[in-house]
Amino acid sequence: MATLLSVNVGLPKDVEWQGRTVHTGIWKHPVEGPRLVRRLNVDGDGQGDLSGHGGEQRAVFVYQVGSYAHWQDHFGRHDFEYGQFGENFTVHGLSDQDVCVGDRYRIGEAEFEVTQPRVTCYRVGLRMGEPELPALLVAHRRPGFYFRVIREGHVRAGDQIVPTRIGRHRISVADIDALLYLPGRDIAQLRLAVDIPALSPGWQQSFRDLLDSADNETRAVAQPVGTEPGWPGFRPLRVSRLVAETATVESIYLTPDDEAPLAEAKAGQYLTVRAAGAGQPPPVRSYSLSSTPEGDTYRISVKRESQGRVSTFLHTHLQPGSLLEVAAPRGDFVLTEGTEPVILISAGVGVTPVLAMLHQLAAAGSDREVWWIQAARDASQHAFADETRRLLSLLPNAHEQIFYTAANAVAPQGQPVSLGRPSRAALAGLGLPIDATAYICGPASFMQDISDALQQLGLAPAHLRTEVFGALPAINPGIVGSRPRQPHQPPGQPGPGPGVTFARSGLTVGWSNDYRPVLELADACDVPTRWSCRTGVCHTCITPILSGDVAYDPEPLELPDPQDVLICCARPESDVVVDL
């Protein structure tokens, strides 16, 4: 019979790691005597990062002494003690291959239900002094698992573990873990997994997303073998026309410089431009397409910023016939199909992606309810005013509201223009449909304020979509006490290796073998990054790669799509441009 060998607890503490401070509760130690297990925790225990650990679905973490023996042999170590893997319960029996999600067990006075495998996280590698351990836990099919507390009560080392219920569909912890993290997924088993009531909501949603992706791939028209949408890297496009939209915004029309056609673009996507001549190495910037492609023509619209090196170059040096190096359209801030109302809301030059969406709706003669809300400083800086009114006139259920925000602005008579900002009160007065999907683009503070206001008016958070051209918000679980800094060159002499360009941060850095993966270089440059396992398992760090080649060390358990890179284990083999 399975047995509880040790009860382990530990409160979160700060640990120094790679020049940062990590707040973590992974240091657990055995305790004597009985311990009360409550709905959210074992008495005396705590977690440092509640987004990934702890809570009702992850109240108790379980690891097996059989896996201890496995890792002792693998690493050639004999210094392990109970709690070493961050577990609350060290058990004899209950292997990950035998225990199934939804199984229930009685231990002492308490009863528990298996909810999910361990969340793959770098901190177990930190605790063990084995950085590659998060990937090995998955690859060796020994992740451990979490209990939900069905009935509270006292437990103690030596208690027998008694099965009380069998989980639906009998899918083991190891198999559930493999469905999320390993390639070659069994789609039929995925469908069974989402039908396990005990499986935690987070894992259920991840599996639904995988099923949606699989279904979309099945429905999609197959690409010819050896081809990808768009084109690899950067391609020269020729400037066919320049149009001044306002004193500071200029539209640039781009056509092919060869016989190859342009890639189809979705409304809301952007082009990344490498501006040779604007600096050395050539700086890279991204600009939304401001209309749907017309034949073999793209249009981007660029605002000249007072300190903008690239925007100034584009405004002052381009002329019809000039060449620009351009990466293929990309981005997931796109207009989705549906019948629900649409709110297109922007500020300043943030109008460009939602203007492309308006073009698509007008071209389709959509009968959806469409709300066009635009903020500009005044009439002189109200870009695309005539164009948007023409497009809105083609839509039978369109509404328009413009906001002029400058203190001395004047509202033209007979036009839907209000003075002031689009505040919550101003938006409330419009009678916006709460079942709409809203597409929001503008400065970060504007997008946050508008998102908050629309949620307060009743729109669901899942129906609010925003476009961010600067650095994305960082995901660095457990890191505390660090303040965001402007991206910069790393300390010391520039590396002699390939150039690594962080496109969103406007930074190019010479590669040095002092860094193992690109992620470490980004950390050294204070480029905002998103990661969790740091070993190529969780794909949190997945990043579009615009050009160049990388090699992986260690090899990820599942390779990303060719247009993406896992920066936590990638090293450049040539000059690369990544969307960070």
Side-chain angles (χ1 to χ4, degrees):
M1 180 174 285
T3 306
L4 177 60
L5 299 178
S6 180
V7 178
N8 316 299
V9 301
L11 294 175
K13 62 180 181 179
D14 290 345
V15 179
E16 294 305 310
W17 171 76
Q18 296 188 1
R20 300 182 179 190
T21 300
V22 180
H23 188 64
T24 176
I26 199 165
W27 267 263
K28 311 291 186 191
H29 302 284
V31 293
E32 300 291 335
R35 281 285 166 133
L36 179 60
V37 183
R38 304 180 188 274
R39 295 286 182 187
L40 299 181
N41 227 327
V42 181
D43 271 5
D45 190 50
Q47 294 80 30
D49 174 20
L50 291 176
S51 65
H53 307 276
E56 181 181 354
Q57 300 294 326
R58 301 177 297 240
V60 178
F61 181 57
V62 181
Y63 211 59
Q64 309 87 357
V65 72
S67 289
Y68 267 70
H70 174 85
W71 297 118
Q72 284 177 326
D73 291 342
H74 180 83
F75 292 118
R77 292 176 55 172
H78 302 283
D79 58 342
F80 293 170
E81 61 181 17
Y82 292 154
Q84 188 89 25
F85 290 84
E87 78 274 14
N88 300 112
F89 290 175
T90 313
V91 301
H92 172 73
L94 301 190
S95 77
D96 293 334
Q97 289 74 29
D98 296 328
V99 170
C100 297
V101 172
D103 286 354
R104 290 189 180 186
Y105 299 93
R106 187 175 67 250
I107 307 175
E109 300 173 349
E111 187 175 9
F112 305 90
E113 182 176 64
V114 180
T115 58
Q116 66 172 74
R118 175 202 295 269
V119 175
T120 301
C121 168
Y122 75 104
R123 279 160 291 199
V124 65
L126 167 64
R127 169 69 176 90
M128 296 287 294
E130 306 285 356
E132 75 277 21
L133 185 57
L136 294 175
L137 290 170
V138 176
H140 290 220
R141 298 174 66 86
R142 295 178 179 272
F145 57 86
Y146 287 100
F147 275 152
R148 180 168 68 94
V149 179
I150 302 299
R151 183 174 67 248
E152 296 180 345
H154 290 87
V155 302
R156 65 189 304 162
D159 283 343
Q160 299 298 299
I161 303 176
V162 181
T164 60
R165 181 183 294 184
I166 295 174
R168 182 185 293 182
H169 299 312
R170 303 297 297 149
I171 305 180
S172 73
V173 166
D175 286 344
I176 288 285
D177 198 55
L179 281 174
L180 184 62
Y181 292 126
L182 295 180
R185 296 178 181 87
D186 184 329
I187 299 301
Q189 196 171 48
L190 264 179
R191 298 191 191 283
L192 292 177
V194 298
D195 189 46
I196 301 174
L199 184 64
S200 67
W203 281 64
Q204 287 204 16
Q205 185 58 54
S206 295
F207 287 162
R208 289 193 186 97
D209 291 344
L210 289 171
L211 285 172
D212 287 344
S213 296
D215 291 342
N216 289 337
E217 288 176 7
T218 300
R219 290 192 295 265
V221 176
Q223 292 285 330
V225 175
T227 67
E228 295 293 333
W231 56 85
F234 289 83
R235 167 187 175 186
L237 297 182
R238 189 168 296 280
V239 177
S240 63
R241 191 157 57 111
L242 298 168
V243 176
E245 308 292 353
T246 69
T248 58
V249 176
E250 183 173 64
S251 286
I252 303 169
Y253 291 78
L254 300 167
T255 58
D257 189 46
D258 52 29
E259 295 182 357
L262 295 180
E264 182 179 352
K266 298 177 181 178
Q269 289 189 310
Y270 60 87
L271 301 180
T272 300
V273 173
R274 184 160 60 193
Q280 191 58 40
V284 173
R285 297 292 186 273
S286 295
Y287 300 102
S288 291
L289 290 160
S290 55
S291 66
T292 50
E294 298 177 3
D296 274 346
T297 302
Y298 291 148
R299 183 181 77 172
I300 58 174
S301 302
V302 179
K303 180 181 179 182
R304 181 173 180 175
E305 305 286 354
S306 58
Q307 302 297 318
R309 179 171 48 153
V310 176
S311 66
T312 297
F313 172 82
L314 296 178
H315 273 253
T316 58
H317 286 73
L318 289 190
Q319 55 186 343
S322 297
L323 290 176
L324 277 179
E325 292 184 290
V326 180
R330 66 188 64 236
D332 55 11
F333 180 70
V334 296
L335 181 67
T336 57
E337 295 181 1
T339 59
E340 80 279 4
V342 175
I343 301 173
L344 305 175
I345 183 165
S346 63
V349 78
V351 67
T352 53
V354 294
L355 178 58
M357 296 178 186
L358 185 62
H359 270 276
Q360 179 175 318
L361 290 164
S366 175
D367 60 1
R368 297 169 74 174
E369 185 178 359
V370 176
W371 284 80
W372 177 262
I373 302 173
Q374 184 179 357
R377 286 190 53 79
D378 54 33
S380 68
Q381 298 185 54
H382 181 184
F384 308 106
D386 293 338
E387 182 175 329
T388 56
R389 291 195 183 102
R390 177 180 60 80
L391 294 170
L392 290 167
S393 70
L394 302 175
L395 296 168
N397 297 304
H399 310 267
E400 181 184 17
Q401 183 61 54
I402 306 300
F403 291 87
Y404 287 166
T405 61
N408 58 351
V410 176
Q413 290 188 352
Q415 296 186 20
V417 177
S418 297
L419 300 180
R421 300 184 180 277
S423 63
R424 178 188 177 281
L427 295 176
L430 298 179
L432 298 173
I434 63 171
D435 59 337
T437 298
Y439 300 84
I440 311 164
C441 190
S445 58
F446 170 84
M447 291 191 292
Q448 185 62 59
D449 290 345
I450 294 298
S451 296
D452 291 344
L454 292 177
Q455 286 187 65
Q456 292 168 13
L457 294 176
L459 271 74
H463 289 179
L464 304 178
R465 303 184 182 179
T466 57
E467 176 66 298
V468 179
F469 281 111
L472 296 171
I475 298 176
N476 304 158
I479 301 297
V480 296
S482 59
R483 295 182 178 180
R485 297 177 59 193
Q486 189 72 19
H488 56 81
Q489 292 290 329
Q493 293 296 316
V500 179
T501 296
F502 301 108
R504 288 177 182 263
S505 301
L507 182 69
T508 298
V509 182
W511 175 256
S512 166
N513 286 329
D514 292 342
Y515 305 101
R516 292 183 66 247
V518 171
L519 175 57
E520 287 188 5
L521 177 61
D523 288 343
C525 298
D526 285 307
V527 170
T529 52
R530 303 158 76 86
W531 48 263
S532 181
C533 74
R534 297 182 74 99
T535 56
V537 179
C538 69
H539 285 217
T540 302
C541 75
I542 194 166
T543 302
I545 181 169
L546 282 66
S547 67
D549 299 300
V550 300
Y552 285 109
D553 182 19
E555 189 79 9
L557 297 181
E558 182 176 18
L559 288 169
D561 292 334
Q563 65 268 27
D564 294 319
V565 63
L566 298 177
I567 61 169
C568 73
C569 50
R571 298 166 61 89
E573 291 197 316
S574 64
D575 290 349
V576 298
V577 179
V578 293
D579 193 24
L580 281 175

